[in-house]
Amino acid sequence: MPSVFITSVSHQERPPYAYPIRPASMTYDDVTHLSAKIKPKQQKVELEMAIDTLNPNYCRSKGEQIALNVDGTCTDETNTYSSKLMDKQTFCSSQAASNVSRYAAAVYRKGELHLTPLHGILQLRPSFTYLDKADAKHREREAANEGGDSSQDEAEDDVKQITVRFSRPETEQARQRRVQSYEFLQKRQAEEHWVHLHYYGLKDSRSEHERQYLFSQGHGLAENTELIKSPSEYLMMLMPPSVEEENSKPVAPSNVLSMAQLRTLPLADQIKILMKNVKVMPFANLMSLLGSGTDSTAVLRCIQQVAMLVQGNWVVKSDVLYPKDTSSPHSGVPAEVLCRGRDFVMWKFTQDRWVVRKEVATVTKLCPEDVKDFLEHMSVARINKGWEFMLPYDEDFVKKHPDIVQRQRMLWMGIQAKLEKVYNLVKEHLTPKKQESQSGHPLLVSGEQRVNMAKAKVKQNYGQLEKEFQKQKAELKSNDTSSKIDVSNIHIKEEPVSDEEPMDTSVYEGLNNGIVNGLHAEEDSTDSLNGHLPGGCSDRVAQELKAFVSSTFKKQFVLTLSELKRLFNLHLASLPPGHILFSGISDKMLQDMVLDIGCKQILVPFPPQTAASPDELKVYALWEAGDIYDQHRQVLLEIFSKNYRVRRNVIQNQLSQDLNKQEVDRVLKDCCVSYGGMWYLKGTVQS
């Protein structure tokens, strides 16, 4: 008898009312004891699996209802479910492919590929014949009820005349039709006896013995005369060309559009797709891609809907790249904030050919990855200089279309006004750094001139910082006479001057040195303004930070340090420019504040092979929220301090003494998440 290899069992296409396992929760752990039988002539296999009725995924009430519908209330040997419970499931096979001569099972071992021809490929699906039996039982009961209600007179009137016919001798033609009929084939299939099989598990010695037949026992090409062919000839023998495959046309991926397909779209869609992929393009290049005969006036009308003019070139609009209701793949910042930050970068390039990345990050308060994406869309990084706009100034377009240039200039003035309000831009950001024509070459500055310019900028910033400090000192004296500042401890930091590259000592860099979205890169760095925070400022920072941490943990209850930092960055992005929290919050300050509000660190025993980062391994939980579930949450947290993942029945046994099922669900929802039938603390699931 040929061997039967079972690779998988399909659980799809089952009616929800016909199965006691809850939808999308069927796993191989839910079944036990497999028996199989086969009809070799028909190549038909039937598997019967016993269902684990004690599994939490098993719905006992539905299993009892199905058994009652199938077998009724009486008990005899013909019952499908002798235990009055649906405790088994049958799977029947069907032909997966009509022609299997072109298929083989392959095993690769020690640099050798062993091929075994297949005689049949079957697909196993759940059998619902027990539903037909339940329907038949239902019809019998209805017929019995109708027969019992009818009177004797009605029964006597139900007598019918019977006509007796004698069969004629069957002709050969009639016999052939009968043999080929569906009823005859069904009868023949039903008459073939089932051959019961013994099921051997994956690690059984018999299974290992059968698997050895998948490997060729011969060694060397002398014994395999059929392989003395060229590789192309052998491949042609193994996989002869199919007529259907030769006639089928290759289909491109869904995100790839050929130029021929592109030109079948409306003009506006063509321009939008091109600009979304290229991002920056001169008008002449766009016209060449659209093909000859395209009206330039129509192109100008469409391009202004999806792009903005920057240095005579067209740059795709931010809302085209970041549609509404999307977010950053790096930081999760909403599309509205991303569009505002990218508009700032585009506007800076309308003022100058060069942009400094630190300045963009300082003003927009976005993460470095998002800022880098903005700059890579439209510029090229130059060592010791910054980011330069990737295309030269297009004088030809500016001279030919002065009306378009003027209209775009008015649009940029409106965008500038919005950016000034949102980012609270100072005069230094509004004025271009280089007063040179857009089309000219970059100005060459000697090393000595760089040093002199840097020294002058340091002196200017020194005076500005001194004035700001004196102003803050006066405000603190008027507001809080008890708070005194030791002026001798405050030092204005002068940056060392280098002959190799110019220094950027702007006010914003001095205020946010080492800050990414408000968080210091160094954990133990708590300095914000030249190394010290005035007493009143530090108190206000602590109050704001405490309010954020308290409100966050009252909503989430359990957070990893990584998730808390992510939420804090999102909170900073929503704050107005100049907020007190932008003075700089280190990881140590954040963790100290978490412990100050009454949270505790839960030492979850992560598995040794975990790939989690150090911030993801630090788990904090609100120990007392002030409600009636505090004690039960503490019991739950104690469980997870000893176990990385826990089954629900273990948690249920610990909490069910004082809580009902709904209340247990409430406590679990506060602190845990379910994954793969197990429960984990929030943020600790390792996929």
Side-chain angles (χ1 to χ4, degrees):
M1 183 185 301
S3 300
V4 180
F5 291 90
I6 302 171
T7 58
S8 63
V9 179
S10 172
H11 298 291
Q12 300 177 354
E13 301 181 5
R14 64 173 184 267
Y17 57 82
Y19 212 66
I21 303 296
R22 296 184 177 89
S25 64
M26 181 66 178
T27 63
Y28 289 105
D29 294 333
D30 298 330
V31 294
T32 57
H33 307 301
L34 183 145
S35 62
K37 54 185 178 180
I38 185 174
K39 291 185 177 181
K41 293 182 180 180
Q42 304 176 29
Q43 290 189 352
K44 186 176 181 181
V45 178
E46 184 173 294
L47 301 181
E48 184 175 278
M49 293 185 178
I51 302 174
D52 183 7
T53 58
L54 301 179
N55 193 286
N57 291 329
Y58 186 88
C59 182
R60 193 173 186 85
S61 60
K62 185 176 290 187
E64 293 175 349
Q65 183 63 44
I66 293 175
L68 180 63
N69 293 340
V70 173
D71 297 327
T73 56
C74 59
T75 303
D76 53 27
E77 296 179 356
T78 62
N79 284 0
T80 304
Y81 305 110
S82 58
S83 63
K84 296 298 181 182
L85 194 67
M86 184 180 177
D87 55 358
K88 59 185 177 180
Q89 173 67 31
T90 303
F91 294 85
C92 289
S93 66
S94 60
Q95 290 286 346
S98 57
N99 181 17
V100 297
S101 60
R102 301 174 62 248
Y103 296 92
V107 181
Y108 185 80
R109 185 177 71 172
K110 296 181 180 179
E112 298 176 345
L113 184 65
H114 300 258
L115 299 177
T116 303
L118 299 179
H119 297 285
I121 302 176
L122 306 179
Q123 183 179 17
L124 292 172
R125 294 188 177 184
S127 173
F128 301 106
T129 54
Y130 59 89
L131 295 179
D132 299 334
K133 186 176 180 181
D135 292 338
K137 290 268 187 180
H138 180 68
R139 287 193 293 268
E140 289 176 3
R141 286 193 294 268
E142 289 183 346
N145 293 335
E146 292 176 359
D149 295 338
S150 61
S151 62
Q152 185 178 359
D153 296 334
E154 292 175 347
E156 292 177 356
D157 295 337
D158 198 27
V159 177
K160 294 182 180 180
Q161 184 180 1
I162 298 176
T163 303
V164 179
R165 293 181 181 179
F166 296 93
S167 61
R168 297 178 182 179
E170 186 179 30
T171 63
E172 183 64 23
Q173 186 177 7
R175 192 189 69 81
Q176 291 181 356
R177 286 198 301 267
R178 180 176 61 82
V179 170
Q180 295 176 357
S181 64
Y182 177 77
E183 291 80 7
F184 183 83
L185 293 176
Q186 289 291 100
K187 183 178 179 182
R188 286 286 301 273
Q189 291 180 1
E191 288 175 353
E192 184 180 1
H193 295 289
W194 287 101
V195 178
H196 290 272
L197 305 176
H198 294 284
Y199 173 74
Y200 297 96
L202 180 64
K203 299 180 180 180
D204 192 90
S205 59
R206 288 293 300 271
S207 297
E208 182 62 26
H209 178 73
E210 289 291 329
R211 277 198 295 273
Q212 294 303 317
Y213 288 108
L214 296 175
F215 300 99
S216 174
Q217 304 302 321
H219 300 283
L221 294 177
E223 299 177 8
N224 300 325
T225 57
E226 293 182 359
L227 297 181
I228 307 178
K229 294 181 180 294
S230 65
S232 59
E233 291 177 346
Y234 177 69
L235 188 61
M236 188 65 67
M237 289 175 55
L238 185 64
M239 291 289 292
S242 175
V243 178
E244 297 178 357
E245 292 180 357
E246 291 177 352
N247 295 334
S248 61
K249 296 181 180 180
V251 180
S254 59
N255 60 338
V256 176
L257 197 64
S258 65
M259 292 301 296
Q261 293 174 319
L262 181 68
R263 288 172 181 171
T264 61
L265 301 176
L267 181 61
D269 293 339
Q270 294 183 45
I271 295 174
K272 183 176 181 180
I273 292 173
L274 287 172
M275 292 305 303
K276 190 173 182 179
N277 285 274
V278 182
K279 297 181 179 60
V280 183
M281 192 187 307
F283 186 74
N285 290 11
L286 179 62
M287 290 298 298
S288 64
L289 290 174
L290 294 175
S292 59
T294 307
D295 184 14
S296 61
T297 305
V299 175
L300 283 172
R301 186 166 54 250
C302 295
I303 190 66
Q304 295 181 72
Q305 298 175 6
V306 296
M308 296 289 292
L309 193 66
V310 178
Q311 299 193 22
N313 301 281
W314 292 99
V315 181
V316 64
K317 288 184 176 180
S318 302
D319 55 3
V320 176
L321 292 179
Y322 304 108
K324 192 177 180 181
D325 298 330
T326 60
S327 59
S328 166
H330 305 295
S331 60
V333 174
E336 182 181 358
V337 180
L338 293 176
C339 291
R340 195 162 56 226
R342 189 174 181 274
D343 287 344
F344 175 75
V345 176
M346 293 171 63
W347 171 76
K348 288 291 292 182
F349 278 119
T350 63
Q351 307 295 307
D352 198 351
R353 285 196 60 82
W354 299 87
V355 168
V356 180
R357 180 174 171 178
K358 280 187 178 181
E359 180 183 355
V360 176
T362 301
V363 174
T364 60
K365 301 295 188 300
L366 292 172
C367 72
E369 290 81 6
D370 289 332
V371 175
K372 185 179 180 181
D373 284 349
F374 299 159
L375 293 171
E376 288 179 342
H377 289 170
M378 61 194 83
S379 58
V380 180
R382 306 294 185 190
I383 299 176
N384 295 334
K385 291 184 178 181
W387 291 77
E388 183 185 14
F389 193 72
M390 63 171 55
L391 296 178
Y393 188 80
D394 193 348
E395 291 186 19
D396 294 338
F397 181 83
V398 174
K399 291 179 180 179
K400 289 181 181 179
H401 306 281
D403 53 336
I404 301 294
V405 174
Q406 180 62 26
R407 187 179 300 115
Q408 289 290 310
R409 186 178 291 116
M410 298 298 294
L411 291 174
W412 277 119
M413 291 175 63
I415 294 175
Q416 177 182 340
K418 292 181 180 178
L419 294 175
E420 289 179 16
K421 293 180 180 179
V422 173
Y423 292 130
N424 194 20
L425 300 179
V426 296
K427 186 178 180 181
E428 182 179 350
H429 294 122
L430 299 176
T431 56
K433 292 183 179 180
K434 298 178 182 179
Q435 303 297 333
E436 59 177 337
S437 62
Q438 298 275 21
S439 60
H441 296 285
L443 181 62
L444 297 177
V445 182
S446 65
E448 185 177 356
Q449 289 176 327
R450 290 184 186 179
V451 172
N452 294 334
M453 292 168 61
K455 286 182 178 180
K457 186 177 287 188
V458 168
K459 291 181 180 179
Q460 180 183 0
N461 292 337
Y462 181 92
Q464 291 178 355
L465 291 174
E466 185 69 29
K467 290 179 181 179
E468 290 181 4
F469 170 68
Q470 294 296 340
K471 184 178 179 181
Q472 288 184 1
K473 180 179 176 182
E475 290 178 356
L476 290 173
K477 282 185 177 180
S478 60
N479 294 335
D480 188 6
T481 57
S482 62
S483 175
K484 296 186 178 181
I485 304 172
D486 187 2
V487 182
S488 61
N489 289 333
I490 298 177
H491 305 281
I492 305 299
K493 180 181 178 183
E494 289 192 21
E495 298 288 345
V497 177
S498 173
D499 293 340
E500 297 179 357
E501 63 178 288
M503 291 180 3
D504 190 358
T505 54
S506 61
V507 179
Y508 280 82
E509 183 180 352
L511 291 176
N512 294 284
N513 187 23
I515 301 174
V516 179
N517 275 355
L519 283 171
H520 281 281
E522 298 180 1
E523 185 170 315
D524 57 351
S525 174
T526 59
D527 301 343
S528 174
L529 182 60
N530 296 321
H532 295 275
L533 269 174
C537 293
S538 61
D539 292 342
R540 283 185 290 169
V541 170
Q543 292 175 0
E544 290 287 341
L545 184 61
K546 183 176 182 180
F548 163 76
V549 174
S550 299
S551 61
T552 302
F553 271 94
K554 286 182 179 178
K555 295 177 184 177
Q556 304 289 340
F557 289 99
V558 177
L559 286 170
T560 62
L561 180 59
S562 175
E563 179 66 11
L564 181 61
K565 289 167 65 175
R566 188 187 72 85
L567 295 174
F568 183 64
N569 283 332
L570 292 177
H571 177 65
L572 287 180
S574 64
L575 294 177
H579 195 274
I580 189 68
L581 284 181
F582 287 124
S583 59
I585 305 298
S586 67
D587 289 359
K588 186 175 185 302
M589 293 174 62
L590 198 60
Q591 295 178 75
D592 291 343
M593 185 57 68
V594 170
L595 298 176
D596 287 344
I597 67 168
C599 294
K600 288 188 177 182
Q601 184 174 0
I602 309 301
L603 301 178
V604 179
F606 285 88
Q609 67 276 15
T610 180
S613 64
D615 287 349
E616 292 174 338
L617 297 177
K618 296 180 180 179
V619 184
Y620 295 94
L622 184 61
W623 198 250
E624 293 183 356
D627 57 14
I628 59 175
Y629 299 107
D630 278 346
Q631 181 180 358
H632 308 294
R633 276 193 291 265
Q634 292 170 11
V635 173
L636 184 62
L637 295 173
E638 290 290 344
I639 295 175
F640 280 100
S641 65
K642 302 175 183 177
N643 304 276
Y644 169 59
R645 55 183 181 180
V646 185
R647 290 189 179 274
R648 183 188 173 94
N649 56 356
V650 176
I651 301 173
Q652 190 87 23
N653 294 336
Q654 294 286 337
L655 300 179
S656 60
Q657 299 177 358
D658 302 323
L659 301 177
N660 55 34
K661 184 179 181 300
Q662 289 77 13
E663 291 173 333
V664 172
D665 292 340
R666 161 74 184 276
V667 175
L668 285 174
K669 184 179 179 182
D670 290 343
C671 304
C672 306
V673 292
S674 176
Y675 182 78
M678 304 293 289
W679 286 88
Y680 303 78
L681 280 183
K682 289 182 178 178
T684 62
V685 179
Q686 304 295 322
S687 57

